[in-house]
Amino acid sequence: MSENISTQVQLVSRPQGWPTQENFRTVQVTLDELAPGEVRVRNSYLSVDPYMRGRMSNAKSYVAPFGLEETMTGGAVGVVTESHDESLPVGTLVLHQLGWRDMAQAPASQFRAVPEIPGVEPSVYLGILGMTGLTAYVGLTTIAPVAEGDTVFVSGAAGAVGTAVGQIARLLGASRVIGSAGSAEKIALLTEKYGFDAALNYKDAPVREQLAELAPEGIDVFFDNVGGDHLEAALDVFNDGGRGALCGAISTYNSTETPSGPDNMVNMIKRSLRLRGFTVGHHLDQSAEFQERMAQWFSAGKITYDETVVEGIENSVDAFLDMMRGANTGKMVVRIPQG
Amino acid sequence: MSENISTQVQLVSRPQGWPTQENFRTVQVTLDELAPGEVRVRNSYLSVDPYMRGRMSNAKSYVAPFGLEETMTGGAVGVVTESHDESLPVGTLVLHQLGWRDMAQAPASQFRAVPEIPGVEPSVYLGILGMTGLTAYVGLTTIAPVAEGDTVFVSGAAGAVGTAVGQIARLLGASRVIGSAGSAEKIALLTEKYGFDAALNYKDAPVREQLAELAPEGIDVFFDNVGGDHLEAALDVFNDGGRGALCGAISTYNSTETPSGPDNMVNMIKRSLRLRGFTVGHHLDQSAEFQERMAQWFSAGKITYDETVVEGIENSVDAFLDMMRGANTGKMVVRIPQG
């Protein structure tokens, strides 16, 4: 790739239901000469995440929608190749939010230097050591705090956030962790690799039936990435004082029909339950605490993670759609070939 | 009435849907001689409350179901007529939970002395100065805290808890208070007597349409006594960071069909909302704080309240059913004729 040509993926129309290639275009942008205070970064990895679907629409939400005919923003990690700011010399590994482009150029303040970890790809900063891990941590500490001995249910457990939730829940004292996923392979992975005590395949039978069987003594904490029938199933089996962290509702994001809600909301009153929706962006004040604890767990070998890596920026839209369909295990990232 | 005959109303079968007279019977119990440590109380007022419907069923809930062929328990206030305990001399006004009986006899520890308030009927201890007021207070302080300048929506606003919620919300700093009720008379009462800024009749048009009109800048706090369409309407218009206290779901209590849930739960995530169900019985540690503040508001003339009084213990079941149908304004009580 040329150092002054940036290949970028832009949103050109707002999807109705499932996004398609036609909602996007790829453009080649010639970068200006570097201005004072700016740096140029060659990206190594781009992040594709479920929350991006919300930003493709124009609805009232916690973040502004993506602009049309603008380059998709989002997490990315790369290396400084040219610098007009002494705080970020050439060769520095940096994290930023400039999204789906192979070369990024902006004022140094838009990049944050992160340490290289021997033997570990920098994509971890888009996942377990980044927003993904922080999302799990915030959910289990502030939003729906896990207590010693709790039973925890995680929906979408084989996804990037879900695999982190299962492990962090255990590290925070949960005694039983149950997950849901959409294939036999993922279910096996949850119990064999990620330490879940039990897992259910939501395609096999109604979630509320399966969860009731796997949680005969109820659940105390629910971390929801899916919504819909998973939330309903959790409301069935919550113990008194149960807490739910509503992080995602991927089951509904591409639906053009109005979903029906849980038919058992009255359990909220009967069992003194709490549900709280959240967005990690409102909890960045927990970043330092998270990074300290996660670094300890990570270096002690207590954290297992998977990545699903798609090669090439030209496959970003496919990667995003595959992730929305659940084709990934763990964090889905796009790798930009270097050199 | 004879001093040693107690007329009591008992539950004899569990209602399916709406309770009927056939689910109850009235019995005459001859009281034993007073044992050491016991007191005998002639009740003045009995309380009938929505939560009692839940206890008539056998479902898993926060409190045990009422026993069959046992006298209905619940709040009552009366005067000691005979005492074998020096802490509660004859003539003391007492509050207790022995429920639907004209004469109550039990160890003194089951009764709590309360001060007589000149010019005020002791039934206030069953309502605004009792569990009803405490329910409103707990909901607006601990469960869904009101902040200065908030807009608050209360469903079932003309009920005992609802009228208290509207006023306490204002006293705690709310700048706009909106209520719902089921008749033109009640709507008028809310705005003309209870200081609500706006009120809607849920029988006139869909709640979500009416609420959106009355809350063009959204709501911050929702105090729910009704559930169903009211909760859905609130989820539509919550501002970011909105809080909901789920206190009752009277719309569903007598339904034998499974209700459909709110179709907009995803707003919980988009707007970082919190919903929390509660039962006042878990928050009795706030009683002292509540009584102190409420006594100040009450004596300063800042609290308006209504009671709907039904005469005679033989009408207790009717009073309960009328209350469930919304025939009352403010607290529904049964008065026991004295002497």
Side-chain angles (χ1 to χ4, degrees), chain A residues 136 140 154 157 161-171 177 194-196:
Chain A
L140 294 171
V154 191
V161 171
T163 50
V165 169
Q167 297 177 82
I168 293 175
R170 179 82 71 196
L171 290 164
V177 181
Y194 285 104
F196 283 70

Side-chain angles (χ1 to χ4, degrees), chain A residues 1-3 42-44 81 102-103 335-339:
Chain A
M1 82 186 74
S2 166
E3 284 291 328
R42 175 184 288 160
N43 282 331
S44 318
T81 58
D102 58 1
M103 299 296 299
R335 198 175 86 88
I336 312 291
Q338 303 292 302

Side-chain angles (χ1 to χ4, degrees), chain A residues 255-327:
Chain A
S255 174
T256 52
E257 289 169 25
T258 301
S260 64
D263 63 16
N264 48 1
M265 286 295 287
V266 73
N267 287 349
M268 298 275 306
I269 305 170
K270 291 185 180 173
R271 305 189 200 154
S272 300
L273 307 180
R274 309 180 201 197
L275 293 180
R276 182 172 170 188
F278 77 110
T279 301
V280 69
H282 292 158
H283 299 274
L284 300 183
D285 56 331
Q286 281 194 261
S287 292
E289 170 196 334
F290 160 72
Q291 277 157 8
E292 190 179 323
R293 296 186 76 173
M294 189 48 122
Q296 284 170 7
W297 291 330
F298 196 80
S299 61
K302 291 182 174 170
I303 297 286
T304 298
Y305 67 99
D306 276 300
E307 288 178 343
T308 303
V309 180
V310 170
E311 295 285 332
I313 190 167
E314 66 278 15
N315 295 315
S316 300
V317 174
D318 283 338
F320 173 76
L321 292 173
D322 283 350
M323 181 273 303
M324 292 298 287
R325 286 190 201 99

